Amino acid sequence: MRHFVIVGILVLVTAVLTYVGLDVAGVATQMNPIEASAQSIPIDWLWNWEIMAICFLFALIIVPMAYSMLVFRRKQGDTTDAEHIEGNTTLEITWTVIPLFAVLALAYMGAYSLGETRRIDPNAMIIKVKGQQFVWTFEYPDTGIISTELHLPVDQQVLLKMESADVIHSFWVPEFRVKQDVVPGRVTEYRITPILVGSYKVRCAELCGASHAYMESPVIVDTRADYNSWIAEQVAIVAASQTPEGLGKLLTVKNGCIGCHSVDGTKMTGPTWFGLFGTKVDLADGSTVTADDAYVTESILDPKAKLVTGFAPVMPPFKLTDIEIANIIAYLKTLK
Ligand code: CUA
């Protein structure tokens, strides 16, 4: 009995010390990014309980093992066998029933946390999300605004309806905790209630191609007033852009072109558009071509026809109308 009391106390002490140690090391709670959504709270609550359970189980295994090795070590010169035990019904029932209830408790906690994470607000605002190699675009309700930035009003549940144009991507904002795949051919949903004003980032969490690592976009949680003025600003920009150049620029956002092509000379997955139009382009086969209307049109409709030297053939063809292509060309001509 004395051994049981000692081991019991040592198990509790070790469990607490393990948890405190993990907490100081940042594993238990501080390792997680800040909680910026209502959904992150039940998730972190469950995480913390699981860490505590793990610490206890760790101590429950390690302490009796170490105690036995030290205290019940064979004395020098003792060559007798250990005591033979033929089973113990009480012990077997105990170590079946206790884990049974432990598993049931964990199942209940998991279900509770999942329910809280998925709790539906009937007034949720719907924003459409498109994932494609290698850019996110967001379409806002009512106004039809399309942006590469996700702006969300604080304390308002949003339902993201997400589609992929090509391969599987995964929508992940670490501060929101919830993660959801974006799968071609179906609409997946992501429900979140931001609770903390700030700037975050959505990262693609599914390996989706050569520039997967760069597939990230700003996520900005605004006060309601800031959100409304941002929307008003975007509406004004759209209204002011009803020229061929303006419409062309909107098309490059809507189609995700700017995920791979910079407009300021920065090197990205695809050639920059800055100062491109009218210049000579070196092709992978050693020849050169002038970046004129015919070349740009062909590069949109059939990107692999003329490969620019130094770039991988990763651009998919885009089915755009003649007018859309003319607008994009008008926009490209302004980039110099
Ligand atoms: Cu999209 Cu990784």
Side-chain angles (χ1 to χ4, degrees):
M1 193 61 206
R2 190 173 62 96
H3 292 302
F4 279 108
V5 173
I6 295 171
V7 166
I9 292 168
L10 285 176
V11 164
L12 289 178
V13 170
T14 308
V16 170
L17 286 179
T18 307
Y19 180 77
V20 170
L22 285 177
D23 209 22
V24 170
V27 175
T29 48
Q30 302 151 32
M31 188 179 67
N32 289 331
I34 201 161
E35 291 175 334
S37 75
Q39 289 73 11
S40 64
I41 292 164
I43 290 174
D44 285 1
W45 169 84
L46 183 62
W47 167 261
N48 195 39
W49 272 104
E50 285 176 352
I51 293 287
M52 286 195 273
I54 286 166
C55 291
F56 176 70
L57 291 174
F58 171 77
L60 195 62
I61 292 163
I62 293 299
V63 170
M65 192 171 75
Y67 188 86
S68 305
M69 287 195 302
L70 294 173
V71 177
F72 302 117
R73 182 169 282 276
R74 183 149 68 181
K75 308 276 181 306
Q76 217 156 25
D78 176 6
T79 53
T80 56
D81 272 356
E83 189 187 342
H84 287 272
I85 301 169
E86 283 297 330
N88 184 325
T89 311
T90 319
L91 194 58
E92 286 187 17
I93 289 174
T94 311
W95 74 35
T96 306
V97 170
I98 292 177
L100 176 69
F101 281 100
V103 168
L104 286 176
L106 281 174
Y108 175 79
M109 290 161 74
Y112 167 79
S113 169
L114 186 64
E116 286 297 306
T117 310
R118 298 238 170 131
R119 188 178 287 283
I120 293 172
D121 178 347
N123 298 317
M125 178 171 86
I126 296 174
I127 295 178
K128 285 189 197 160
V129 177
K130 189 166 85 172
Q132 70 186 89
Q133 292 164 322
F134 297 96
V135 66
W136 299 101
T137 41
F138 307 99
E139 188 180 337
Y140 293 81
D142 309 326
T143 54
I145 291 167
I146 294 171
S147 172
T148 50
E149 286 183 5
L150 179 58
H151 281 253
L152 302 171
V154 73
D155 295 329
Q156 150 87 58
Q157 191 176 83
V158 283
L159 174 60
L160 303 185
K161 293 203 176 247
M162 310 197 291
E163 285 180 89
S164 167
D166 37 50
V167 298
I168 301 176
H169 304 276
S170 182
F171 186 96
W172 185 40
V173 181
E175 291 82 0
F176 292 169
R177 299 293 189 276
V178 187
K179 187 193 275 177
Q180 174 63 53
D181 272 7
V182 183
V183 184
R186 72 163 92 150
V187 179
T188 49
E189 295 188 340
Y190 180 100
R191 199 177 280 279
I192 210 78
T193 313
I195 53 169
L196 196 64
V197 170
S199 285
Y200 311 101
K201 258 181 188 173
V202 51
R203 295 161 205 281
C204 180
E206 184 72 55
L207 186 61
C208 57
S211 292
H212 155 72
Y214 304 105
M215 189 171 166
E216 52 177 38
S217 293
V219 175
I220 294 128
V221 177
D222 289 325
T223 60
R224 176 53 81 167
D226 284 352
Y227 173 78
N228 288 342
S229 60
W230 182 79
I231 289 283
E233 219 171 84
Q234 298 303 306
V235 170
I237 291 170
V238 173
S241 63
Q242 300 302 317
T243 57
E245 299 83 19
L247 291 169
K249 183 176 182 181
L250 289 180
L251 281 167
T252 65
V253 174
K254 191 176 161 202
N255 288 289
C257 316
I258 54 172
C260 294
H261 298 280
S262 78
V263 296
D264 61 359
T266 310
K267 189 162 190 314
M268 292 171 76
T269 310
T272 183
W273 289 341
F274 182 75
L276 168 71
F277 200 86
T279 56
K280 288 251 184 293
V281 177
D282 293 323
L283 299 181
D285 63 9
S287 63
T288 58
V289 64
T290 304
D292 55 10
D293 290 42
Y295 166 73
V296 172
T297 305
E298 185 185 47
S299 295
I300 293 171
L301 298 173
D302 183 11
K304 293 188 176 60
K306 291 195 174 66
L307 290 174
V308 181
T309 185
F311 292 94
V314 292
M315 176 170 158
F318 285 83
K319 289 189 188 63
L320 301 182
T321 65
D322 292 348
I323 293 170
E324 287 174 324
I325 291 174
N327 288 339
I328 289 176
I329 289 172
Y331 171 55
L332 290 189
K333 287 177 181 170
T334 68
L335 299 172
K336 53 189 175 210

